[in-house]
Amino acid sequence: MRTYIARRLLLLPVILFGTTLLTFGLLAQLSPSQRAALYVPRLPRSPQAVERVIARYGLDDPMPEQYLRWLGQVAQGNLGFSKSGGEPVSTVIRHHLPATLELALWSSVTIVWVGIRLGVLAAIHRDRALDQLLRVFSTIASGVPFYLVGLLGLLLFAGRLQWLPAGDRLSSPNQLLVDGPTWLPLTGMYTLDALVNRRPDVWLDALRHLALPVASLSVVSWAYLLRVTRSSMLEALGEDYVRTALAKGVPARQAIERHAWANARLPVVTLAGLTVLGLLGGVAFVEAVFNWPGLGSRFIQAGVSLDIVTTMGLTLFAATMLVIGNLVVDVLGAWLDPRIRLS
Amino acid sequence: MSGFLGADRAVELAGRASARASALAATPGARRWWRALLGNPAAAAGTTLLVAFGVVALAAPWIAPCPAGQERHCGDDPYRVPRYGFAGMPRPPSAEHPFGTTGKQYDVFYGLVWGTRTAFRVGLLITIPALLVGVAVGATAGYFGGWADEILMRTVEVFMAFPFFVAAVTLASALRAHPQLGQGLLAPMLALLAFGWMGYARLLRASVLSVKERDYVWAARALGVGDGRIILRHVIPNSMFSVLVAASLDVGGTVLAFAGLSFFGLGVPDGYADWGQMLAAAHDRLPSLGRDWHLVVFPALALVLFALGCTLVGDGIRDALDPQSASRLPASERR
């Protein structure tokens, strides 16, 4: 176990080094004058002035030198200046991360909590109507991209039925209140802050705005999680120890929870972790569809307006998150498996 | 024996024998493929869907001919969607426009019919090169092992460290700034290709690790056959199965990913016949989707049915040829 974690930790800097190299490689494709345009708000007309910008930022230096300089800046948290955001990329991250985090947290809880239960249900009701229904659902849903579920949900629940709001994080009076001086912004996640500020009405409003984006992210992810939970659970239910437990009179519920699930959860936990990490890409699309002011919609906006500094900075940030997240999932999976933990 | 035959000749004979053997095996194999595609109802439904899309793609000039008076749009290049005016409200479905028009007055029906061709082109032109890159990397890493393996697999991990969509959006937008690559379909396709090959490399490496220890590989090596020839003739053909299944499952996901890029304006140019581009018209009209439902429903149906067809066919092939893997993870993780 220790050597496993040690190996992973030793590889971490190697992978991170590679990600910076790849990201910088993208930037290096541009000509010096194109890169100069990334550094100043408006590129001066005269060629001499452009030359000055290039010389000042050393954009004509050998690439390794430029890479090291860039890396030094990144290490200090300077990811460059976001043109489309009008502020440094690190500030963009600080301002918009809470919105994304709130969406991701609610989605993760919904995905894991409901997805696993659906899978266990399908396994228990194997080949009966419920199982068939869930199988059809998972086949269709696993082929649908996040943004499409979002659009269909928007069309149905916000457009046709008008049950839920069509976008944003709060309705405008509440948004004004939250941005105002009386509000204590503790985390930037409104569902938490509303509790701290004792405003159940704001909490409910935030939840209503979360419903559709969270559902868009969840429905597709359930399809995967449910499939793996089902097959893993079926395997465990067929084992002798479950039969023995049932034979000696253990109630079915307990046999399922204690005996089968304890053994079925290993692959499920790993996949649940990977599914949640998979949201890193999907969240961007869902945010853009629902006008959710998080990192994802900022990222797409930057991508569309060809603001390379911002897209690269956010990509590097997302990649770092993903690498660390993968490590956590791996270690957690290894820790849950006594065969690995005790070896 | 090799004394009078010569090593190369011996291998050639052995190769011919193995070719005959695989030709023999191919007969029931082909039948098994058909049984896989039509035998179980889900796979048969998937095959029907894909065949239907194929017919639409092939018959596009007859299903959606360039309408009279629209020659300046689709006369030369049929992939340019005819346009009836410039701005205003999307028009709902009518006799003239079966699926309505977008806000910019592009004909949705025409766009979807010709978009079927784009879907097939994009799906295959991204998946096949990604497969080739993955196979080359995976085979090299698995066969040679050691430092080559270490470097290649760490490279794979670096590419996998990026969330797929995030990386694709960044690359597509960066390539846009490139003078030659920035135009047309090339930028989004390269973006998806650059981050789409790693799964194949890993899968292939895993099977190469076991195949390279088989007797026939050792036999070839003992006869003095070069590494390149062993890899191409013996190792790769015998380790391709799982990679091919994964690729067939990925075609649908690739089309969806490409449509996603188009949806956000990073894919094909405005007015190009592409499902994601048609869906992008809905992106401009999010507040009034309740009224402009046709902007979402028709492109969404095309995308979902196409992806469903690919998944069902891929699943069917996998289940029929490799019953043990019936419970394995779905191959496509791209969402």
Side-chain angles (χ1 to χ4, degrees):
Chain A
M1 178 76 185
R2 276 218 197 103
T3 48
Y4 177 76
I5 295 179
R7 187 184 134 79
R8 291 298 312 257
L9 280 178
L10 279 177
L11 272 178
L12 192 66
V14 178
I15 302 301
L16 286 179
F17 169 73
T19 53
T20 59
L21 208 59
L22 199 58
T23 316
F24 184 78
L26 257 183
L27 197 64
Q29 296 307 308
L30 304 176
S31 71
S33 59
Q34 272 176 313
R35 263 176 291 139
L38 301 175
Y39 282 84
V40 289
R42 191 168 297 137
L43 203 60
R45 285 278 168 70
S46 75
Q48 291 87 353
V50 175
E51 286 301 320
R52 270 204 300 280
V53 172
I54 291 176
R56 169 146 180 232
Y57 292 100
L59 299 176
D60 228 358
D61 294 351
M63 275 301 162
E65 212 171 291
Q66 288 193 44
Y67 169 71
L68 287 181
R69 202 159 45 217
W70 175 79
L71 198 61
Q73 291 295 315
V74 169
Q76 291 170 32
N78 178 9
L79 290 167
F81 189 83
S82 164
K83 256 187 206 175
S84 61
E87 52 191 359
V89 177
S90 49
T91 316
V92 171
I93 293 179
R94 221 179 33 243
H95 282 171
H96 296 274
L97 187 61
T100 302
L101 220 51
E102 182 170 44
L103 180 56
L105 283 180
W106 278 96
S107 307
S108 310
V109 171
T110 316
I111 289 167
V112 173
W113 204 79
V114 179
I116 289 181
R117 265 161 191 74
L118 285 179
V120 172
L121 269 182
I124 296 174
H125 293 262
R126 182 186 189 172
D127 289 337
R128 291 213 291 267
L130 183 67
D131 183 30
Q132 304 284 7
L133 197 73
L134 285 173
R135 197 183 302 170
V136 171
F137 159 76
S138 114
T139 307
I140 295 175
S142 65
V144 183
F146 290 124
Y147 59 87
L148 213 51
V149 186
L151 278 179
L152 291 172
L154 209 54
L155 166 61
L156 191 64
F157 293 107
R160 281 275 145 143
L161 300 170
Q162 310 236 321
W163 287 353
L164 292 166
D168 302 328
R169 290 179 74 189
L170 288 171
S171 48
S172 33
N174 283 333
Q175 188 70 53
L176 282 177
L177 168 78
V178 166
D179 292 336
T182 56
W183 186 262
L184 175 68
L186 200 62
T187 58
M189 293 189 253
Y190 296 158
T191 43
L192 277 180
D193 288 357
L195 295 179
V196 176
N197 287 277
R198 295 166 196 254
R199 286 297 297 265
D201 56 320
V202 177
W203 188 78
L204 209 64
D205 189 36
L207 213 56
R208 271 168 50 84
H209 282 80
L210 270 166
L212 274 180
V214 166
S216 316
L217 288 169
S218 304
V219 168
V220 180
S221 312
W222 285 340
Y224 285 96
L225 201 51
L226 133 74
R227 228 189 267 186
V228 173
T229 311
R230 176 183 179 274
S231 67
S232 182
M233 197 65 190
L234 275 182
E235 207 174 298
L237 282 175
E239 295 285 351
D240 286 343
Y241 49 77
V242 174
R243 221 155 23 134
T244 312
L246 287 174
K248 72 178 187 195
V250 173
R253 196 186 164 79
Q254 198 182 338
I256 290 167
E257 280 175 5
R258 277 249 199 93
H259 298 260
W261 175 240
N263 289 288
R265 70 182 178 192
L266 268 179
V268 174
V269 166
T270 308
L271 186 84
L274 293 180
T275 312
V276 167
L277 288 176
L279 292 182
L280 267 173
V283 104
F285 282 2
V286 168
E287 279 186 9
V289 167
F290 289 101
N291 194 23
W292 189 264
L295 277 183
S297 55
R298 292 279 328 120
F299 170 72
I300 298 275
Q301 229 170 309
V304 172
S305 51
L306 307 189
D307 175 1
I308 299 182
V309 173
T310 309
T311 48
M312 279 193 353
L314 294 182
T315 307
L316 201 58
F317 180 71
T320 313
M321 295 288 106
L322 185 60
V323 169
I324 295 173
N326 269 328
L327 183 71
V328 172
V329 169
D330 268 9
V331 170
L332 196 67
W335 183 77
L336 274 177
D337 188 345
R339 283 165 302 191
I340 301 182
R341 186 177 53 210
L342 301 176
S343 72
Chain B
M1 176 177 131
S2 60
F4 62 91
L5 267 177
D8 249 326
R9 174 89 181 118
V11 174
E12 205 186 307
L13 283 179
R16 230 183 267 164
S18 92
R20 253 201 313 276
S22 62
L24 273 177
T27 328
R31 214 177 294 153
R32 271 204 302 180
W33 273 75
W34 282 114
R35 210 181 298 151
L37 290 181
L38 300 173
N40 94 51
T47 313
T48 315
L49 277 174
L50 285 192
V51 168
F53 276 113
V55 169
V56 171
L58 288 177
W62 295 278
I63 299 175
C66 191
Q70 287 291 333
E71 286 78 9
R72 74 202 155 88
H73 288 296
C74 46
D76 295 332
D77 179 4
Y79 287 99
R80 287 185 58 201
V81 182
R83 189 172 192 183
Y84 300 84
F86 283 97
M89 307 289 271
R91 279 184 254 173
S94 62
E96 196 191 348
H97 306 293
F99 292 171
T101 67
T102 70
K104 289 174 177 167
Q105 304 307 323
Y106 289 115
D107 185 72
V108 176
F109 179 75
Y110 186 98
L112 291 188
V113 168
W114 283 87
T116 315
R117 286 193 172 193
T118 312
F120 275 107
R121 264 198 314 172
V122 160
L124 296 177
L125 284 184
I126 296 173
T127 310
I128 291 173
L131 185 67
L132 292 180
V133 174
V135 164
V137 170
T140 314
Y143 184 80
F144 292 108
W147 275 106
D149 186 28
E150 199 66 29
I151 290 172
L152 286 173
M153 284 300 115
R154 292 300 83 77
T155 312
V156 164
E157 273 182 53
V158 167
F159 274 83
M160 287 186 124
F162 293 92
F164 176 67
F165 265 134
V166 174
V169 166
T170 304
L171 192 51
S173 118
L175 286 175
R176 269 296 165 80
H178 197 281
Q180 284 100 45
L181 302 175
Q183 310 304 315
L185 274 68
L186 204 54
M189 283 172 69
L190 279 177
L192 292 178
L193 171 61
F195 288 92
W197 55 273
M198 298 88 73
Y200 307 130
R202 280 197 160 173
L203 268 178
L204 193 84
R205 175 181 172 271
S207 21
V208 164
L209 282 182
S210 83
V211 167
K212 77 169 181 183
E213 301 298 337
R214 300 266 167 85
D215 287 344
Y216 52 80
V217 176
W218 280 108
R221 224 175 269 153
L223 289 169
V225 181
D227 283 331
R229 201 175 155 88
I230 292 183
I231 292 179
L232 286 178
R233 293 289 294 270
H234 302 283
V235 173
I236 288 183
N238 287 300
S239 13
M240 280 297 278
F241 170 75
S242 56
V243 186
L244 281 178
V245 170
S248 73
L249 278 167
D250 277 348
V251 174
T254 306
V255 171
L256 291 176
F258 187 85
L261 288 181
S262 288
F263 177 66
F264 288 108
L266 287 165
V268 299
D270 195 40
Y272 194 91
D274 170 66
W275 293 342
Q277 176 70 40
M278 289 296 116
L279 202 59
H283 192 226
D284 302 335
R285 308 206 51 89
L286 291 181
S288 61
L289 272 191
R291 200 182 60 84
D292 302 324
W293 57 273
H294 65 277
L295 294 181
V296 176
V297 170
F298 296 118
L301 263 180
L303 279 167
V304 170
L305 289 179
F306 188 86
L308 186 63
C310 291
T311 311
L312 291 177
V313 168
D315 275 348
I317 294 173
R318 183 186 55 187
D319 290 351
L321 299 189
D322 188 10
Q324 282 179 341
S325 73
S327 61
R328 210 182 276 160
L329 280 179
S332 58
E333 290 169 356
R334 304 171 168 182
R335 26 211 56 262

